[in-house]
Amino acid sequence: MTLSSLTFTISNTTTAIQNTPQFNNNNVVPVPSLNTFCSITLNNSFNKTHLFRIHCINQDPLSPLEPLKSDQNLPFGNDGGDDDGGDNFGGGGGGNDGNGGEEEGDEEFGPLLNFEAVMNEVEARGVKLPSDMEEAARITGIREMFLLRYLELQGSAWPLSFLMKNCAMLRNRMLADPSFLFKVGIEIVIDSCCATFAEVQKRGKDFWAEFELYAADLLVGVVVDIALVGLLAPYARIGTPSLSKGLLGRIQHACAALPSSVFEAQRPGCKFTAMQRVATFFYKGALYGSVGFGCGIIGQGIANMIMNAKRSISKSEDDIPIPPLVQSAALWGFFLAVSSNARYQIINGLESLVEASPVAKKIPLVAMAFTVGVRFGNNIYGGMQFVDWAKLSGVQ
C-alpha cells in the first residue's frame, strides 16, 4: 500500500496540479480557475475515498454532492480497508465500508460529536480531557458513547480514575468494552487458583520450602494472563496515530488496519475483509509467541537461579533436573502462539456473540457468567495440554 500526497494549486490564471501521483487508472482531478490563489495539500490513501467540494466566495452555492454507490468504480481505488485516522472502533483501526457509515452515527456508539459539542459537555461536568482526546475532538470528533463512558469512568474511585486519565492503553479498551477489567480479573483469578492447586498437589509437603519457585511462576502467569486478554481486546481508536515513513510505516499501516481479533464484530466505519481476519490470526500469534518466549526466559530464569542457589547449599538425590532455559522459553512461545492464540480467539468470538444477544443485554449477569465458565474450562484444558506438550518436547 502506498501513501501519496496531492498538491492542488488554484490560481487566477491557470489550473495546475503539482506532484501528481501515478494511479493505475491515470485519473486527473480538474480544478477550475478562480479569482484567488491558494495551495491545498492533501494526504491521500488508496484505501480511502474522499469527496471534495470547493466553495467559491461570492459565487452561487454549489449543489450537494451525490453519494457514491458501494459498487461504483472509485477514482483512486478501494480495497475495503481504511486509513489510520479518525475516531474508529476497532483493535487496529478497522476498515471503511466506503459508504460514509462512519459519519452517519452508530447504534451502539452514537453520533460523531464535533469539538464544540465535546467541549461543552466536558466543561459542563467540570473535567479536563487528556491531550490526545482533546486533539482528536478538534480534528476528527469523538463518538458520543466514548465521551460519555470516559466522563463516567474518570470519576471512578482510585486507581481506576488515575489510570483512565493517564493510561491510554487501558482507557481505550475500557471505552470500547466496559467489561474489559472484569475479563482480565477473571482470567488472573482462575489461572492463579488453578496454578496454586496444581503446585500444591505437585510439591506436596515441600510447597513452602519451594515457595519462591511458586511465586515466580505465579508472577509470570499474571503477566501472561494480562497479555492474553489485552492483545485481543477491542479498543476505541482516539485520534490519528503517528506512523514512520518508508517500509516500516507501511507495515505499521497494514497492522493498524487489522481487527483486534479474528472474530471482531463489524460496525459502521469498521469493516474487515476475510484476508484481514486470516492475517490477524498469524499477527496475534506472533505477538503471543513473543510474549511467551520473553516471559519464559524471565520466569524459568528466576526459577533456575533459585534452584541452583539452593543446590549450592545442600544437594539431595531427590532433586529433579534443572529445566533448560532456552528450550523452556521456546516451548512457552510456541504454545502461546499456536494453542493459546487459537483458544482465546474462539473465546473472544463466543463472548461477543453472547454479549450481543438480547438476553445478555437485558441481563448482563448472563454474559458475565458465560465469561467465567468458558475461561475456567479453557484454563483447565490449556494447563493439561501444556503438560503434554512439555513431556513430548522433553523439557519436563
Side-chain angles (χ1 to χ4, degrees):
M1 185 180 299
T2 304
L3 297 178
S4 56
S5 177
L6 293 176
T7 302
F8 299 91
T9 302
I10 306 173
S11 68
N12 59 352
T13 57
T14 184
T15 300
I17 301 178
Q18 300 174 347
N19 300 331
T20 305
Q22 299 298 320
F23 300 97
N24 292 334
N25 52 6
N26 296 323
N27 287 292
V28 178
V29 180
V31 181
S33 299
L34 300 174
N35 293 325
T36 183
F37 178 86
C38 64
S39 178
I40 306 173
T41 302
L42 302 171
N43 289 325
N44 187 53
S45 168
F46 287 95
N47 262 5
K48 200 166 189 176
T49 303
H50 299 277
L51 297 178
F52 301 105
R53 183 173 71 176
I54 301 176
H55 185 74
C56 306
I57 301 177
N58 298 327
Q59 298 290 331
D60 294 334
L62 297 176
S63 58
L65 291 174
E66 292 294 332
L68 290 175
K69 303 294 184 181
S70 59
D71 58 348
Q72 182 176 341
N73 291 330
L74 304 177
F76 299 124
N78 182 18
D79 58 1
D82 188 16
D83 214 55
D84 288 334
D87 180 1
N88 287 333
F89 173 90
N96 196 321
D97 58 3
N99 59 5
E102 183 179 352
E103 297 181 359
E104 295 174 357
D106 184 292
E107 181 180 352
E108 181 178 357
F109 298 103
L112 195 63
L113 302 180
N114 59 26
F115 179 72
E116 183 179 0
V118 170
M119 297 311 296
N120 287 341
E121 184 67 26
V122 170
E123 292 172 0
R125 306 220 184 177
V127 301
K128 180 177 176 60
L129 285 179
S131 58
D132 60 332
M133 289 189 69
E134 185 173 342
E135 185 68 16
R138 190 185 307 276
I139 298 176
T140 64
I142 297 179
R143 292 285 178 190
E144 181 182 40
M145 183 56 69
F146 290 160
L147 177 63
L148 295 180
R149 282 180 180 172
Y150 172 78
L151 295 176
E152 178 182 358
L153 291 170
Q154 64 85 33
S156 304
W158 193 91
L160 181 58
S161 59
F162 175 81
L163 293 174
M164 289 297 297
K165 296 174 184 177
N166 298 279
C167 182
M169 183 178 296
L170 173 63
R171 179 199 69 202
N172 293 342
R173 282 163 174 77
M174 290 291 293
L175 294 183
D177 181 10
S179 63
F180 171 70
L181 277 185
F182 172 77
K183 295 175 181 177
V184 173
I186 287 296
E187 188 70 30
I188 292 175
V189 169
I190 292 176
D191 184 51
S192 299
C193 290
C194 292
T196 300
F197 179 78
E199 291 281 352
V200 171
Q201 293 293 318
K202 181 176 68 174
R203 301 185 190 278
K205 61 181 182 180
D206 297 327
F207 175 77
W208 292 108
E210 300 176 349
F211 183 79
E212 298 88 349
L213 298 176
Y214 159 75
D217 290 342
L218 191 65
L219 180 61
V220 173
V222 170
V223 175
V224 172
D225 292 335
I226 295 175
L228 288 173
V229 180
L231 287 177
L232 298 186
Y235 65 89
R237 191 176 194 81
I238 303 296
T240 304
S242 59
L243 299 177
S244 304
K245 296 181 179 179
L247 177 61
L248 180 59
R250 291 194 292 272
I251 294 175
Q252 289 177 324
H253 185 276
C255 293
L258 298 176
S260 60
S261 63
V262 173
F263 302 107
E264 181 183 352
Q266 294 192 141
R267 291 174 173 84
C270 186
K271 305 291 185 181
F272 307 106
T273 64
M275 186 61 67
Q276 285 178 311
R277 295 186 183 278
V278 172
T280 296
F281 180 83
F282 293 99
Y283 174 60
K284 297 296 181 177
L287 295 180
Y288 270 14
S290 301
V291 171
F293 183 80
C295 289
I297 287 288
I298 296 173
Q300 194 63 55
I302 294 175
N304 288 1
M305 288 175 57
I306 296 174
M307 294 172 71
N308 284 322
K310 285 188 173 183
R311 293 179 186 187
S312 64
I313 299 175
S314 63
K315 294 184 178 181
S316 172
E317 295 180 355
D318 297 330
D319 289 338
I320 62 173
I322 296 178
L325 178 61
V326 177
Q327 291 91 324
S328 298
L331 174 63
W332 270 108
F334 184 74
F335 181 77
L336 261 66
V338 179
S339 175
S340 298
N341 183 28
R343 287 184 286 111
Y344 281 90
Q345 295 282 4
I346 295 173
I347 287 175
N348 268 41
L350 294 175
E351 286 180 337
S352 298
L353 286 176
V354 174
E355 290 169 355
S357 66
V359 176
K361 288 184 177 180
K362 291 182 180 180
I363 310 175
L365 284 177
V366 172
M368 298 172 70
F370 178 81
T371 293
V372 173
V374 73
R375 290 185 180 273
F376 178 77
N378 173 65
N379 271 272
I380 296 297
Y381 176 77
M384 296 170 59
Q385 189 181 49
F386 180 79
V387 172
D388 293 338
W389 286 29
K391 291 181 177 179
L392 290 174
S393 65
V395 172
Q396 293 183 2

